[in-house]
Amino acid sequence: MKKFITAALLCCTVIASAQQKSPEALKAAVAKAEAVAENPKKAVAPATWLKIGKAYMDAYNAPAGQLLLGASQTEIQLMLSGQSPKSQENVVLGGAKYLKQVFDDKNLYFGENGQLQMIEVTAPVFEDALASALKAYAKAGEVDVKQAKKKDVETALKDIAAKYLSEGLNEYTFGRYDLSSQKFEMSAIASATAPLCQVDTTALYNAGFTAWMDATQTAASDSLAAVAKFDRARGFFEKCLENNYYYEDGEVFAKLHDIYKNLGDIEKAKSVIEQGFSQFPQSQSILISLINFYIENKEDPNKLFALLDVAIKNEPNNASLYYVKGNIYNELADKTEDETEKANLKAQAKASYYKCAEINPAYEFGFIGAGVMYYNDAVVLSEKASNEYDDKKYEALVAQFEQYLKDAIEPFEKAYAVTKSDDIKTSVALYLKNIYYRFSSQSDEYLALYKKYDEIVKQSQQ
C-alpha cells in the first residue's frame, strides 16, 4: 500500500510479571482496584485511577507475556517456558509469508527471517482492556489538580497510544481495514487525551487511509453502506489538513478528492484537488486526479496551466514545474482521439521537458520525462501492431513504433549523462538497453551500444 503507512512497527518488549498471573487473578485485581474508587474520598485521588489503569494494562499484556517482537523462534520458545503451539501453518498476509503458530490464547507470526513479527491475542482477559485503561488514566489526569502525577499519566497514555497503533498495523496486515481504522483512531484519541494533549497526525492519517480502503472495498458490493465509510474517512483527512499534515506529496488532498467524488460533492472534490495542486504541483497522484477530473467534468484544461503558471511565477527557477507542465501536456495527449491535437500536445510536452534543462542543466527528470513519453508511446503502438492483421497497416505501425523508440534515445542519453544518481543511471540504462537491442541487428553501432548498456545493467544487479 504505497500511500500508507507512516508509523513504524513498534519493536517493543511486552513485559509481564516474573510469575504469570491467571486470568482469574487479573480480573480480581481489576475488581479490587475499581472497588476502591467507589469510596468518594479515594475517587478524587489520582493514585486510585492509576492503579485501575495499571490493573487493566496488566490484564491486557498477560496473553503476550514477556514476548519480544523481533526475537527468534528459539528465543520465543525460551520465553514461553516450554509451551508448545497447538498447530502451525504457513500463511500469506499482505503479500508477505509468515509462519503462524497457534496457542490457546494467542497466535504468533514469524517472518521469513525467523523473527516474531506479530502477536494476535485470541483470548484476552478483557475484551476492552485498553479502552478501560484509557478511561482510568484519563480520570487520573482529571482529578490530578496539582499535576503531581502528570508524568505518570502521560507515560501511560503514550503506552496505550503505541499499543493501539501496533494493533492497527496488525489489523491492516490481516486485511481487516475497518478494525485497523478503529485502532488507529483510538491511538489518536489516546494521544489527544489530557494531560498528554498531543495531536498524532500519523494516527489520524492511518485511520483515514484504512477507512478509505474499507469504504472503497465496500463500494464494490454495497454503495449505500460505503457512503458512511467514506464520510468517516473524510473526517480524519480533514483533521489532517486542519493540522497542516498532508503526507507524502500532498496525498491527503488526493484522498479527499476521491472521497468527495464518492460522496457526490463535485464542487468540493474540485476545490480540494485544486488546492492540493497549488501546494504540491509535482505530485503525480494529484496531477492525474486533477486531469481526470477536468476531463470527466468537461472543465477547461487551460485552468490547469493557469494554476501551474501561478507556481512558476512564484518559483521561476524551479525546473521541476516545467516537468509537471510536460506531464500535463502528455496526459492530455493520451486522452484525446484527435491525432492532430495529440501530436501538438506531445510536441508541447517535449518542449516543456526540455525547458527543464534550460533552467537547470543538472536536472535530469525533464529528459527522463521526454524519453519515457516516447518509450510508452512505442509500447502502445507495439500492442496495436500485434493485433493488426492487415500487412500494410501492420508495417506502418511497426515503422511508427521504431521511430518512437529512436526518438526516446536522445533524451535518455542526455539523462544518463546528466544524472549523478546511480539508481537513476541504472533505470535509464535499462531503457536504453531495450531500445538498442531492438536495432542491434541493423548496425555495429547499435550492437555496441546495446552491449554497453547491457553490461551496465548487469553490473548494477551484482
Side-chain angles (χ1 to χ4, degrees), residues 20-31:
Q20 188 70 40
K21 294 182 179 179
S22 67
E24 291 72 21
L26 292 163
K27 289 178 180 179
V30 167

Side-chain angles (χ1 to χ4, degrees), residues 291-328:
I291 290 173
N292 287 337
F293 179 83
Y294 272 39
I295 292 174
E296 289 167 4
N297 292 277
K298 296 182 170 52
E299 295 276 347
D300 182 1
N302 287 322
K303 292 181 181 179
L304 288 169
F305 298 107
L307 290 169
L308 185 59
D309 286 343
V310 172
I312 291 174
K313 184 178 180 180
N314 293 332
E315 297 182 81
N317 297 320
N318 187 342
S320 68
L321 295 176
Y322 284 93
Y323 172 74
V324 173
K325 180 174 276 193
N327 286 343
I328 294 175

Side-chain angles (χ1 to χ4, degrees), residues 406-426:
K406 289 180 179 179
D407 288 342
I409 290 175
E410 181 196 29
F412 275 140
E413 287 283 10
K414 288 183 175 180
Y416 188 87
V418 167
T419 188
K420 300 296 191 294
S421 167
D422 290 337
D423 288 341
I424 293 177
K425 279 186 178 293
T426 299

Side-chain angles (χ1 to χ4, degrees), residues 386-405:
S386 66
N387 294 317
E388 181 57 65
Y389 295 101
D390 183 289
D391 289 344
K392 289 186 178 180
K393 291 181 179 179
Y394 172 79
E395 290 173 2
L397 287 170
V398 170
Q400 194 177 4
F401 155 73
E402 292 185 340
Q403 185 57 54
Y404 277 138
L405 284 183

Side-chain angles (χ1 to χ4, degrees), residues 47 58 70 76 90 93 99 102 109 130 138 156 160 198 219 233 236 240 247 250 255 295 328 393 426 462:
D58 287 344
I76 293 299
N90 293 314
L93 300 171
L99 172 65
V102 179
Y109 294 83
L130 268 186
I160 292 174
Q198 293 179 353
F236 294 120
C240 287
Y247 194 61
K255 288 292 179 287
I295 292 174
I328 294 175
K393 291 181 179 179
T426 299
Q462 293 177 353

Side-chain angles (χ1 to χ4, degrees), residues 70 85 88-89 204 342 385 392 394 427:
Q88 66 179 32
E89 62 177 325
L204 287 173
K342 184 186 292 288
K392 289 186 178 180
Y394 172 79
S427 297

Side-chain angles (χ1 to χ4, degrees), residues 47-65:
T48 298
W49 299 100
L50 286 171
K51 287 181 180 179
I52 294 175
K54 183 181 183 304
Y56 273 114
M57 291 305 294
D58 287 344
Y60 173 83
N61 289 326

Side-chain angles (χ1 to χ4, degrees), residues 98-358:
Y98 296 89
L99 172 65
K100 175 184 177 182
Q101 291 188 343
V102 179
F103 293 82
D104 288 333
D105 57 358
K106 57 186 166 287
N107 298 327
L108 304 183
Y109 294 83
F110 296 88
E112 290 187 273
N113 59 3
Q115 296 177 339
L116 181 63
Q117 300 296 315
M118 290 187 295
I119 303 171
E120 179 187 21
V121 174
T122 55
V125 179
F126 294 98
E127 289 293 338
D128 59 350
L130 268 186
S132 297
L134 176 57
K135 289 180 181 178
Y137 286 123
K139 186 66 176 179
E142 179 186 328
V143 300
D144 185 22
V145 292
K146 295 182 179 179
Q147 297 191 330
K149 298 294 184 180
K150 181 181 178 182
K151 288 187 177 180
D152 292 338
V153 177
E154 288 180 342
T155 298
L157 291 173
K158 288 178 182 178
D159 184 38
I160 292 174
K163 284 179 166 54
Y164 271 125
L165 197 62
S166 183
E167 285 193 5
L169 289 166
N170 286 351
E171 295 294 355
Y172 170 74
T173 302
F174 293 132
R176 300 190 287 250
Y177 303 130
D178 55 340
L179 292 177
S180 178
S181 181
Q182 292 171 31
K183 300 296 185 182
F184 287 133
E185 180 183 15
M186 288 303 300
S187 179
I189 289 172
S191 293
T193 299
L196 188 55
C197 300
Q198 293 179 353
V199 178
D200 188 342
T201 50
T202 291
L204 287 173
Y205 177 83
N206 290 347
F209 183 87
T210 44
W212 172 80
M213 288 194 71
D214 181 35
T216 302
Q217 195 175 66
T218 302
S221 57
D222 190 342
S223 58
L224 186 61
V227 170
K229 294 177 182 288
F230 276 120
D231 193 56
R232 181 171 180 275
R234 176 199 58 75
F236 294 120
F237 287 128
E238 290 285 7
K239 286 180 181 177
C240 287
L241 293 188
E242 289 171 11
N243 289 280
N244 300 316
Y245 182 79
Y246 311 114
Y247 194 61
E248 296 176 1
D249 293 332
E251 186 63 20
V252 171
F253 292 107
K255 288 292 179 287
L256 272 172
H257 169 72
D258 181 73
I259 288 169
Y260 282 121
K261 282 204 307 180
N262 279 283
L263 292 174
D265 193 338
I266 301 304
E267 284 304 312
K268 194 67 176 176
K270 176 183 177 182
S271 173
V272 75
I273 200 64
E274 287 182 345
Q275 181 187 355
F277 184 70
S278 66
Q279 293 185 232
F280 297 91
Q282 297 95 338
S283 169
Q284 279 298 100
S285 61
I286 289 178
L287 175 60
I288 292 172
S289 294
L290 187 57
I291 290 173
N292 287 337
F293 179 83
Y294 272 39
I295 292 174
E296 289 167 4
N297 292 277
K298 296 182 170 52
E299 295 276 347
D300 182 1
N302 287 322
K303 292 181 181 179
L304 288 169
F305 298 107
L307 290 169
L308 185 59
D309 286 343
V310 172
I312 291 174
K313 184 178 180 180
N314 293 332
E315 297 182 81
N317 297 320
N318 187 342
S320 68
L321 295 176
Y322 284 93
Y323 172 74
V324 173
K325 180 174 276 193
N327 286 343
I328 294 175
Y329 280 124
N330 188 35
E331 289 288 338
L332 291 173
D334 288 340
K335 293 181 183 300
T336 182
E337 298 297 326
D338 187 303
E339 291 302 323
T340 301
E341 182 182 7
K342 184 186 292 288
N344 180 51
L345 289 168
K346 291 287 184 179
Q348 292 184 79
K350 180 183 178 182
S352 297
Y353 286 137
Y354 273 66
K355 181 72 174 178
C356 296
E358 292 180 25

